[in-house]
Amino acid sequence: NNIIEFKQIIGRGTRLFEGKDYFTIYDFVKAYEHFSDPEWDGEAIEVETATDPLQPPKSTAMPYPAAPQNPSLEVRERAAKIKVKLADGKARTIQHMTATSFWHPDGTPMSAQQFMEALFGKLPDFFVNETELRTLWSDPITRKKLLAGLADKGFGKDQLLEMQRIIEAPNSDLFDVLAHVAYALEPLTRKNRADRAMAGVSEHFSAKHQVFLDFVLAHYVDLGVDELDVENLRGLLTLKYSDSMSDALKDLGAPQEINRTFCGFQKYLYA
């Protein structure tokens, strides 16, 4: 298993993308001595040690073109990001990651681009258009079923959170990950989404309901969409009303009404 992992680590360096002219492996502990395999790797080539980590080692046998002496910001930015054009013809920009947590069902590593392409191909099994995605995501019950269904197909929450980072939307909602992959929509920050939602909340809910929902949205902005799960409602009430459920009932109504308010306002987040 160790030698397989070592080969995978080395293999990641050989993945190509626009602007990548070479790669350098730093083996501080001489791991290659433990996993030497001349039959597989061929004979090692002696190279001079590079003094500048931005420059490739000098060698007459170097199979890669030399890196630019002073790589510009434009080149570095191009190397950091790649465009992925999916079957709809629209391009998505993702960070180039030298290591990912995406895996094929057989346990082999999967690139971010491969994961995005696979997710794009499966999403039509769960919703037919953007409107249906918004409807499913707006209800905590159907949102939970959607996430469970995606996880069953190999697209779990951890992988979606990783994709959220790779599309450079760390402060967005997981909804934005799905909408970006499926329809190339630009992600919104949770703060932006919450501010928009309060317009609908202020129009359709009483002043006391607005105070509680503003509290809920603050937790959503800080911690993410999990705060909107029905299972978290009691905890949010406890935090807001300091264990005095009688005050919550006085302000917000009977438990059934509180539940309807908590679930019902979420459609304004994803309108």
Side-chain angles (χ1 to χ4, degrees):
N1 289 339
N2 289 337
I3 190 170
I4 292 173
E5 182 178 5
F6 180 78
K7 300 299 184 188
Q8 288 176 342
I9 291 170
I10 301 301
R12 284 171 184 164
T14 65
R15 293 178 181 172
L16 301 179
F17 69 94
E18 182 182 358
K20 179 180 179 181
D21 300 315
Y22 68 96
F23 68 95
T24 304
I25 296 168
Y26 294 94
D27 186 359
F28 296 105
V29 297
K30 296 186 177 181
Y32 76 93
E33 293 182 353
H34 299 285
F35 304 116
S36 177
D37 186 2
E39 183 178 351
W40 175 268
D41 300 321
E43 294 298 326
I45 299 174
E46 291 295 329
V47 297
E48 297 179 19
T49 302
T51 57
D52 183 348
L54 288 178
Q55 302 299 322
K58 298 177 181 179
S59 169
T60 57
M62 174 63 82
Y64 300 98
Q69 293 297 314
N70 294 298
S72 66
L73 177 62
E74 180 183 357
V75 170
R76 291 197 297 271
E77 286 183 345
R78 188 170 71 245
K81 301 176 183 179
I82 59 174
K83 292 281 188 180
V84 177
K85 186 172 286 188
L86 300 181
D88 61 357
K90 299 176 182 178
R92 283 78 165 168
T93 301
I94 64 173
Q95 291 181 344
H96 172 73
M97 308 301 291
T98 56
T100 76
S101 58
F102 303 125
W103 304 93
H104 289 285
D106 63 2
T108 56
M110 179 189 301
S111 70
Q113 179 172 342
Q114 289 173 321
F115 181 85
M116 178 179 278
E117 290 168 346
L119 179 58
F120 176 83
K122 281 294 182 183
L123 289 180
D125 294 345
F126 295 93
F127 44 84
V128 297
N129 53 37
E130 181 187 333
T131 299
E132 185 177 7
L133 169 60
R134 291 183 187 277
T135 300
L136 291 171
W137 201 263
S138 296
D139 186 312
I141 304 302
T142 54
R143 181 171 64 238
K144 188 172 184 177
K145 290 180 179 178
L146 172 58
L147 286 170
L150 288 169
D152 286 343
K153 297 297 183 181
F155 308 105
K157 189 176 291 185
D158 288 344
Q159 287 73 33
L160 295 179
L161 288 170
E162 178 71 3
M163 181 55 61
Q164 182 178 351
R165 184 169 69 90
I166 288 172
I167 66 173
E168 295 189 290
N171 298 315
S172 72
D173 192 303
L174 288 183
F175 166 86
D176 295 280
V177 175
L178 299 179
H180 183 69
V181 173
Y183 306 114
L185 299 185
E186 286 301 312
L188 292 176
T189 65
R190 294 192 297 275
K191 177 67 167 61
N192 187 297
R193 194 174 291 284
D195 289 344
R196 292 185 180 192
M198 279 308 296
V201 168
S202 62
E203 185 177 346
H204 294 92
F205 294 90
S206 71
K208 289 184 177 180
H209 282 102
Q210 289 177 44
V211 170
F212 175 63
L213 294 177
D214 185 62
F215 175 80
V216 171
L217 284 171
H219 279 261
Y220 161 77
V221 170
D222 287 343
L223 301 173
V225 70
D226 285 349
E227 291 300 295
L228 302 180
D229 288 348
V230 175
E231 292 83 353
N232 288 329
L233 175 55
R234 185 173 184 84
L236 290 166
L237 288 167
T238 300
L239 285 172
K240 176 62 178 172
Y241 291 94
S242 303
D243 295 321
S244 178
M245 289 304 295
S246 59
D247 288 343
L249 295 174
K250 182 173 64 176
D251 283 357
L252 305 177
Q256 295 87 345
E257 182 180 351
I258 296 173
N259 189 76
R260 282 196 300 271
T261 297
F262 182 74
C263 295
F265 97 94
Q266 296 188 27
K267 65 183 178 183
Y268 300 107
L269 271 173
Y270 306 105

